């Protein structure tokens, strides 16, 4: 049996006719930039997430960049975030001349909210919690309190957490803004790059709309501020809207089913540390990834490869602070570095069959004998 880590064409083929209809519709309509399709997707996305406004942009990196720019992040400001994230979370901080300040992660691989207060200085302006692997950081209510106490802005990197909730509240809605990615491998994937910012702040949403379109707005398209081109293509918006409306809920349920099957099949193995279980607690996780910690991780990866099973290491096996070329000074992030040594991601996407998941469980079990 072959189980690739991703299978992009498979998802396309399952609904090929429907996607073709959407694509042809847009191509014949001849309006390829912004317009009604983008607005419709924004409205549906905002509703799905539980926010008042959504602004569609070209990718989640732009979403983070524009959100930080829109809240006034300036050169010399500090932004607290984690190192166990995609480099995009941190590069946007650096790009704006601000300084990333890393805090360690907890048992569940996400920002340890209890470590944030110690990292706050007079220069701290914002906090970017990363809602990784389809889960919201534990204790977000404490983070919101801290942000109020110190007058900081929370911008969520919820690129991986569309549809996840914590205490009944959607990922992306805890702070000033939440940023989502529709990169092909994400929960809601485009056939290319796409992203969005959600917010309850109408003024902020209007500013984001100006920023993504060269600062242009109003009836005459007058330039009102320095912006750039960070628009989401209309074609992507139409496809994403179709997927969101027709399939996203079903896909999330399927992801949770697979996570449940992994949990049941693997939780007896002492060599592994699994993500939190699907049921119980304040969390509703959507399992963008199934990231486990495994003894003899590199050997396990090789063994699974010989069994036809594709796996991946998070960010290739390094936290952002561990990429030497970036010149970040050594950090005291023991838990992040432990996870980078041990973590491996098993295949998890809605198209996997129960038999494939069982095959992976059996292979992992066989490896540990
Ligand atoms: C995917 C991802 C991003 C970047 O998203 P793009 O749409 O590729 O720019 C940022 N942060 C995290 C945590 C991600 O997983």
């Amino acid at each position: 049996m072959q189980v690739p880590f991703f299978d992009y064409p498979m998802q396309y083929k399952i609904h090929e006719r429907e996607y073709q209809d959407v694509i042809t519709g847009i191509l014949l309509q001849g309006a390829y930039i912004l317009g009604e399709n983008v607005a419709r997707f924004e409205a549906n996305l905002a509703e799905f997430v539980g926010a008042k406004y959504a602004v569609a942009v070209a990718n989640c990196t732009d979403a983070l960049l524009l959100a930080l720019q829109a809240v006034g992040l300036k050169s010399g400001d500090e932004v607290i975030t984690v190192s166990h994230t995609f480099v995009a979370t941190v590069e946007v901080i650096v790009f704006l001349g601000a300084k990333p300040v890393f805090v360690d992660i907890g048992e569940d691989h996400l920002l340890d909210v209890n470590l944030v207060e110690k990292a706050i200085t007079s220069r701290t302006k914002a906090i970017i919690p990363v809602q990784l692997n389809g889960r919201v950081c534990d204790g977000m209510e404490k983070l919101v309190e801290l942000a109020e106490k110190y007058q900081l802005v929370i911008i969520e990197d919820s690129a991986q957490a569309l549809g996840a909730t914590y205490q009944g509240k959607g990922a992306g809605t805890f702070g000033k803004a939440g940023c989502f990615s529709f990169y092909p491998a994400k929960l809601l994937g485009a056939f290319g790059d796409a992203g969005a910012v959600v917010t309850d702040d109408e003024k902020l949403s209007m500013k984001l709309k100006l920023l993504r379109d060269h600062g242009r707005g109003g009836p005459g398209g007058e330039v009102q501020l320095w912006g750039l081109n960070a628009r989401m293509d209309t074609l992507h918006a139409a496809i994403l809207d179709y997927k969101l409306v027709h399939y996203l809920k079903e896909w999330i349920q399927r992801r949770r089913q697979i996570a449940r099957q992994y949990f049941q099949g693997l939780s007896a193995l002492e060599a592994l540390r699994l993500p939190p279980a699907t049921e119980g607690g304040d969390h509703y996780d959507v399992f963008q990834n199934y990231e486990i910690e495994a003894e003899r991780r590199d050997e396990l990866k090789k063994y699974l490869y010989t069994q036809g099973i594709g796996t991946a290491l998070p960010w290739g096996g390094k936290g952002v602070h561990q990429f030497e070329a970036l010149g970040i000074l050594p950090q005291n992030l023991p838990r992040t570095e432990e996870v980078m040594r041990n973590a491996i991601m098993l295949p998890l996407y809605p198209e996997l069959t129960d038999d494939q998941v069982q095959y992976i469980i059996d292979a992992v079990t066989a490896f540990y004998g």
Side-chain angles (χ1 to χ4, degrees):
M1 194 183 281
Q2 293 291 319
V3 192
F5 187 66
F6 290 128
D7 195 342
Y8 290 159
M10 187 199 282
Q11 196 198 64
Y12 171 71
K13 276 186 247 154
I14 294 173
H15 301 294
E16 181 167 10
R17 278 288 303 276
E18 296 154 67
Y19 297 145
Q20 285 295 338
D21 285 348
V22 174
I23 292 166
T24 309
I26 296 296
L27 296 189
L28 289 175
Q29 146 193 313
Y32 302 155
I33 302 293
L34 297 177
E36 261 173 49
N37 300 86
V38 174
R40 196 173 312 129
F41 174 59
E42 289 172 333
N44 286 330
L45 178 69
E47 192 192 332
F48 184 84
V49 168
K52 285 196 185 141
Y53 309 98
V55 179
V57 294
N59 53 65
C60 184
T61 309
D62 282 344
L64 289 160
L65 181 69
L66 298 194
L68 290 173
Q69 168 91 12
V71 300
L73 190 75
K74 285 188 192 66
S75 178
D77 291 341
E78 290 179 2
V79 181
I80 295 172
T81 190
V82 288
S83 175
H84 181 5
T85 185
F86 186 44
V87 68
T89 317
V90 184
E91 76 200 8
V92 293
I93 299 169
V94 175
F95 205 78
L96 291 171
K99 184 184 165 205
V101 173
F102 297 107
V103 296
D104 213 352
I105 53 176
E107 206 33 45
D108 63 358
H109 301 192
L110 277 70
L111 171 74
D112 184 343
V113 168
N114 301 310
L115 300 177
V116 171
E117 190 161 17
K118 273 190 295 193
I120 296 173
T121 73
S122 58
R123 293 185 162 188
T124 310
K125 169 85 187 194
I127 307 170
I128 308 184
V130 181
Q131 319 296 25
L132 207 62
N133 296 326
R135 181 178 173 89
V136 177
C137 296
D138 220 23
M140 276 304 290
E141 75 281 15
K142 286 190 226 157
L143 199 69
V144 170
E145 273 173 31
L146 265 188
E148 275 167 18
K149 182 171 162 195
Y150 292 94
Q151 309 237 306
L152 307 176
V153 182
I154 294 177
I155 306 285
E156 279 173 78
D157 181 343
S158 33
Q160 299 200 356
L162 181 61
T165 66
Y166 171 70
Q167 298 183 333
K169 210 168 150 52
T173 67
F174 289 86
K176 192 73 177 163
C179 301
F180 290 95
S181 173
F182 310 113
Y183 182 84
K186 298 282 158 75
L187 280 133
L188 176 63
F191 300 127
D193 277 310
V197 187
V198 302
T199 180
D200 282 347
D201 181 335
E202 186 181 14
K203 267 195 172 158
L204 188 73
S205 75
M206 285 159 60
K207 190 161 182 191
L208 289 164
K209 284 184 178 173
L210 294 177
L211 284 170
R212 75 169 171 194
D213 190 26
H214 306 288
R216 294 180 301 184
E222 172 96 359
V223 174
Q224 301 179 26
L225 46 73
W226 291 111
L228 37 74
N229 179 357
R231 299 178 300 238
M232 180 189 289
D233 291 327
T234 305
L235 188 58
H236 286 318
I239 296 164
L240 288 170
D241 193 49
Y242 187 84
K243 290 182 171 188
L244 173 73
V245 170
H246 292 90
Y247 296 114
L248 184 58
K249 281 199 178 127
E250 185 185 307
W251 287 336
I252 287 174
Q253 277 164 16
R254 177 66 190 140
R255 281 179 180 273
R256 285 171 54 79
Q257 246 174 20
I258 294 168
R260 218 172 278 133
Q261 194 182 345
Y262 274 137
F263 193 84
Q264 281 163 5
L266 295 173
S267 54
L269 290 179
E270 278 180 14
L272 303 181
R273 280 157 99 178
L274 303 179
T278 351
E279 265 64 45
D282 287 337
H283 294 266
Y284 181 88
D285 297 347
V286 294
F287 294 92
Q288 166 67 59
N289 300 306
Y290 202 73
E291 185 177 278
I292 65 174
E293 286 168 77
E295 280 174 22
R296 297 191 284 136
R297 188 257 328 253
D298 296 335
E299 277 174 68
L300 173 66
K301 184 170 177 36
K302 276 188 206 143
Y303 174 75
L304 293 177
Y305 181 77
T306 66
Q307 301 304 300
I309 298 166
T311 58
L313 304 187
W315 331 117
K318 285 183 180 183
V320 174
H321 75 287
Q322 295 174 302
F323 291 106
E324 279 173 24
L326 297 180
I328 297 168
L329 296 174
Q331 303 279 316
N332 180 26
L333 302 168
R335 177 67 180 137
T336 302
E337 292 180 7
E338 178 185 39
V339 168
M340 288 306 143
R341 279 192 301 274
N342 300 332
I344 179 168
M345 299 191 286
L346 302 179
L348 200 165
Y349 40 92
E351 297 76 27
L352 283 179
T353 64
D354 291 355
D355 286 348
Q356 284 178 308
V357 178
Q358 192 55 49
Y359 176 72
I360 297 166
I361 291 169
D362 291 344
V364 173
T365 307
F367 174 77
Y368 289 110

